Amino acid sequence: MRNVDLSDPIPFEIALKVADAAIFARAARHLKNIEVAVLRGTWQGQKYDQIAQECGYASEYIKHDVGPKLWQLLSSSLGEKVSKTNLIAVLSQQADRVPKPRDTRTTAELGKQSRCASVDWEPLTGLIPLDSTFYVERPPIESHCYEEVMRPGALIRIKAPSQMGKTSLMVRILAHAKQQDPQAHAVALSLQRADRAMFTDLDRFLRWFCAAITRKLQLSHSVEAYWSDTFGSKGNCTAYFEDCILPEIQGIFVLALDRVDEVFLHPEIADDFFTLLRSWYEEAAYGESGNPLWRKLRLIVVHSTEAYIPLDINKSPFNVGLAIELAEFKRDRVF
């Protein structure tokens, strides 16, 4: 190992290539933009709060999720402990010896791969289509979800890191619901589709939320015409569902919210939005208001990180319903 003069470290661009190559060799993926931002900020001596402010993310997300997971991934990829304090030294020492991945497959596994070489493989990045032969089930997760989504007041929470099959599972739950109930309506709404400006104000966000669902259901109602200044944002949103969305649906209504992590980054709206979802869950499950329309609603919430925001346990949707956490496949489930 060569001596490293930390008063004159290697250029960040070289360090970035070392880190990215090591992670790709270990995890078969490149660094994400937010991970690059954390690396660059750490390299420049910035604290998590500064990095978060420059990137437009919540500091708790950087501090408790992105940062720790990045150091853990770098540690396993480089073969030695990596942290904020020794990042420059480790990457400088590794600059001329990025580790190569060691092939630990058995002869039987290599033979199995050889037999699969003639298959017309399809790209497996992102959503795996419903008719794909490459979707691998995780028994009994699918069966539990299929059973739960048909229950009045169902709330299914799917959590897993990126590229672990969350969205692919979600669309299969929606398809099952429509298969079981021909009159069912299913809406999958990715919160990543909302412009960043929508997250700056609760009223604006909930207007977008209702309008996006209305468009997906191909309804003619106008959110702007219906919204009233007399009531609060959550009251308007709930009334819009009761008066304009739920009455239009004959069967069950499955609302799947993907990329909910986007809301975690905006504490100014997160508390109210998640409190609203919890209240809808309680209406659908227990019928506290006496409005039977809510029994049509089933909720699916998909996210990849923890909710690092203070939520009242009695107002949070993250401690009720069916919790699903996807784990990595074992090698014998991949081939």
Side-chain angles (χ1 to χ4, degrees), residues 10-54:
I10 62 175
F12 174 72
E13 289 72 19
I14 295 178
L16 179 61
K17 290 180 180 179
V18 171
D20 186 69
I23 288 175
F24 187 81
R26 171 76 178 185
R29 73 166 178 86
H30 292 287
L31 283 163
K32 302 174 185 177
N33 290 337
I34 184 61
E35 293 171 332
V36 173
V38 171
L39 276 179
R40 188 185 302 277
T42 301
W43 196 266
Q44 296 171 351
Q46 294 180 332
K47 297 184 178 299
Y48 283 136
D49 290 343
Q50 295 173 283
I51 298 172
Q53 184 175 10
E54 288 188 2

Side-chain angles (χ1 to χ4, degrees), residues 94-149:
Q94 293 279 347
D96 56 355
R97 57 182 186 86
V98 177
K100 302 293 190 299
R102 185 168 59 91
D103 195 340
T104 60
R105 291 170 293 176
T106 66
T107 302
E109 289 170 337
L110 289 170
K112 189 180 295 184
Q113 183 188 39
S114 177
R115 290 193 297 273
C116 293
S118 61
V119 176
D120 185 15
W121 293 98
E122 60 188 67
L124 296 182
T125 301
L127 174 66
I128 300 179
L130 285 172
D131 58 354
S132 173
T133 59
F134 294 102
Y135 178 78
V136 181
E137 292 194 347
R138 296 175 167 94
I141 286 178
E142 282 81 5
S143 60
H144 285 173
C145 291
Y146 296 160
E147 180 180 356
E148 184 69 17
V149 76

Side-chain angles (χ1 to χ4, degrees), residues 177-186 248-253:
K178 289 191 288 186
Q179 183 182 42
Q180 295 298 308
D181 182 355
Q183 293 184 308
H185 283 72
E248 299 281 354
I249 296 171
Q250 299 303 313
I252 65 174
F253 176 40

Side-chain angles (χ1 to χ4, degrees), residues 255-276:
L255 176 58
L257 304 179
D258 200 3
R259 301 297 185 94
V260 172
D261 309 71
E262 294 294 326
V263 182
F264 297 164
L265 308 180
H266 304 276
E268 61 273 16
I269 72 165
D271 183 74
D272 282 319
F273 179 63
F274 291 131
T275 298
L276 181 64

Side-chain angles (χ1 to χ4, degrees), residues 185-309:
H185 283 72
V187 168
L189 181 63
S190 173
L191 298 188
Q192 194 177 44
R193 296 290 183 91
D195 293 341
R196 180 172 295 183
M198 297 297 173
F199 294 97
T200 60
D201 176 78
L202 179 66
D203 192 75
R204 187 173 186 180
F205 174 75
L206 291 181
R207 287 176 188 247
W208 169 84
F209 182 72
C210 288
I213 294 171
T214 300
R215 175 180 290 180
K216 284 182 173 288
L217 290 171
Q218 298 183 335
L219 301 178
S220 60
H221 301 291
S222 169
V223 175
E224 296 301 324
Y226 186 87
W227 220 256
S228 171
D229 294 334
T230 304
F231 305 101
S233 303
K234 291 190 291 184
N236 275 324
C237 187
T238 298
Y240 186 82
F241 265 69
E242 290 180 335
D243 297 344
C244 300
I245 292 182
L246 294 176
E248 299 281 354
I249 296 171
Q250 299 303 313
I252 65 174
F253 176 40
V254 188
L255 176 58
L257 304 179
D258 200 3
R259 301 297 185 94
V260 172
D261 309 71
E262 294 294 326
V263 182
F264 297 164
L265 308 180
H266 304 276
E268 61 273 16
I269 72 165
D271 183 74
D272 282 319
F273 179 63
F274 291 131
T275 298
L276 181 64
L277 292 184
R278 172 63 179 260
S279 71
W280 289 356
Y281 158 77
E282 292 178 347
E283 288 285 1
Y286 308 115
E288 293 184 351
S289 70
N291 187 338
L293 290 174
W294 285 104
R295 290 182 62 80
K296 299 178 181 181
L297 180 66
R298 280 82 165 134
L299 288 170
I300 302 175
V301 177
V302 182
H303 60 107
S304 59
T305 62
E306 297 288 355
Y308 292 111
I309 49 179

